[in-house]
């Protein structure tokens, strides 16, 4: 993993933003993916199911016995990417699957990835990001929601794939080196996603480099090199419900 370049103690805090960090590997990797995948301004953010399918009970779902938390984390991501000219859609697969089970008697939830395919086909996104509220189990077992989504999109090889959230951060090495995604956005992702999109879409005014964007490089895990990231969330998410 890349080592953080620690500024000299003689460098004052006010000068930290002027310290140069070596992110050439990250920039080269982004550039190779940009040329391959960034063909439009469409972004699909996916909230994975909040339950395990091998123990799923449709009758419990019909009695409203499963959690359906809104995709708040993805809404904040959509919020910070606003005003960039991107067409952002949030697919709450958890809610959609539960809704289908409740309203459609013959809905086959075993084929839940078909719902993802419908949106991939309709939107044709250049970038797909996925996250999950913690579901305790082995994330690499067949049918685990988050890794099933990541693997499914990667196998199509039509979009750049991001993973974020607590599970992705904890499992970043295996997710990246086993080809489940192209990037893992560590911990709070609002600032890191802006930095990444600056380079993916070649924005002229770029965010300062920061730690926590993980990527594979020469069969090893690397991360962006820079300052520690602090996220301060302000405003409200009312407008982001239009993306869902």
């Amino acid at each position: 993993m890349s080592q953080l370049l620690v500024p000299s103690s003689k460098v004052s805090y006010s000068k930290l933003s002027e310290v140069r960090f070596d992110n050439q590997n990250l920039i080269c990797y982004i550039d190779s993916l940009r040329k391959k995948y960034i063909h439009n301004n469409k972004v699909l953010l996916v909230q994975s199911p909040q339950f395990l399918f091998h123990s799923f009970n449709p009758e419990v779902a019909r009695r409203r016995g499963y959690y359906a938390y809104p995709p708040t984390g993805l809404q904040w991501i959509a919020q910070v990417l606003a005003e960039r000219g991107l067409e952002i859609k949030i697919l709450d697969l958890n809610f959609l699957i539960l809704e289908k089970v409740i309203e459609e008697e013959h809905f086959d939830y075993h084929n839940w990835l078909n719902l993802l395919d419908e949106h991939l086909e309709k939107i044709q996104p250049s970038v797909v990001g996925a996250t999950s509220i913690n579901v305790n189990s082995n994330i690499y077992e067949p049918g685990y929601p988050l890794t099933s989504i990541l693997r499914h999109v990667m196998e199509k090889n039509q979009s750049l794939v991001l993973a974020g959230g607590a599970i992705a951060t904890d499992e970043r090495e295996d997710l990246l080196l086993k080809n489940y995604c192209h990037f893992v956005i560590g911990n709070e992702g609002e600032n890191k996603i802006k930095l990444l999109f600056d380079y993916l879409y070649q924005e002229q005014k770029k965010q300062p480099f920061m730690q926590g964007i993980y990527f594979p490089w020469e069969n090893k895990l690397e991360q962006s090199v820079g300052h520690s990231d602090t996220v301060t969330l302000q405003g409200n998410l009312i407008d982001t419900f239009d993306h869902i």
Side-chain angles (χ1 to χ4, degrees):
M1 188 183 299
S2 298
Q3 297 297 313
L4 174 64
L5 299 182
V6 180
S8 166
S9 59
K10 295 181 181 180
V11 180
S12 68
Y13 183 82
S14 62
K15 295 292 185 180
L16 283 177
S17 61
E18 300 176 13
V19 175
R20 298 178 66 85
F21 297 100
D22 183 4
N23 282 282
Q24 193 58 44
N25 291 348
L26 174 62
I27 294 171
C28 289
Y29 182 60
I30 292 173
D31 190 53
S32 66
L33 296 175
R34 180 181 56 78
K35 293 174 181 177
K36 184 174 183 179
Y37 295 112
I38 305 302
H39 49 83
N40 61 32
N41 67 341
K42 297 180 179 181
V43 178
L44 179 63
L45 303 176
V46 183
Q47 174 92 320
S48 75
Q50 299 166 21
F51 51 83
L52 297 173
F53 285 93
H54 64 72
S55 59
F56 181 72
N57 187 325
E59 287 305 314
V60 174
R62 294 186 183 105
R63 294 174 184 150
R64 310 303 199 270
Y66 283 95
Y67 293 114
Y69 295 114
T72 306
L74 296 181
Q75 290 175 263
W76 279 116
I77 296 298
Q79 177 91 314
V80 300
L81 292 177
E83 301 178 0
R84 286 181 176 239
L86 299 171
E87 186 177 325
I88 301 172
K89 297 294 182 183
I90 298 174
L91 173 59
D92 187 348
L93 271 178
N94 183 72
F95 181 87
L96 185 57
I97 292 169
L98 293 176
E99 183 181 52
K100 292 281 188 181
V101 169
I102 291 169
E103 296 183 354
E104 299 180 17
E105 180 180 357
H106 300 294
F107 173 72
D108 184 2
Y109 64 86
H110 295 98
N111 293 323
W112 64 278
L113 284 170
N114 289 345
L115 297 174
L116 175 60
D117 282 337
E118 290 176 12
H119 287 78
L120 291 172
E121 181 64 26
K122 179 180 178 180
I123 297 171
Q124 298 287 316
S126 287
V127 179
V128 175
T131 190
S132 174
I133 295 176
N134 287 10
V135 181
N136 293 326
S137 186
N138 175 8
I139 73 167
Y140 301 106
E141 68 182 3
Y144 187 87
L146 177 62
T147 40
S148 293
I149 291 168
L150 295 173
R151 176 64 80 188
H152 191 72
V153 181
M154 286 290 284
E155 288 177 349
K156 291 180 176 294
N157 198 29
Q158 297 175 348
S159 306
L160 186 148
V161 182
L162 315 175
I167 292 175
T169 300
D170 290 344
E171 297 289 336
R172 56 190 179 270
E173 185 166 10
D174 280 344
L175 289 177
L176 289 167
L177 299 187
K178 293 180 180 179
N179 203 37
Y180 280 88
C181 55
H182 297 107
F183 293 97
V184 168
I185 309 300
N187 300 310
E188 300 299 325
E190 285 78 7
N191 293 330
K192 300 180 190 79
I193 203 79
K194 289 192 292 184
L195 171 61
L196 183 58
F197 271 67
D198 281 346
Y199 283 89
L200 285 175
Y201 283 91
Q202 298 184 299
E203 298 287 341
Q204 291 185 353
K205 185 177 180 180
K206 295 181 172 60
Q207 301 292 313
F209 279 112
M210 64 196 73
Q211 305 167 45
I213 300 175
Y214 298 94
F215 63 101
W217 186 260
E218 297 181 348
N219 298 315
K220 295 185 297 184
L221 176 70
E222 288 207 13
Q223 72 163 307
S224 54
V225 183
H227 308 301
S228 298
D229 180 29
T230 301
V231 176
T232 302
L233 300 176
Q234 297 179 333
N236 64 64
L237 297 175
I238 293 174
D239 291 342
T240 64
F241 280 94
D242 293 337
H243 297 294
I244 301 175

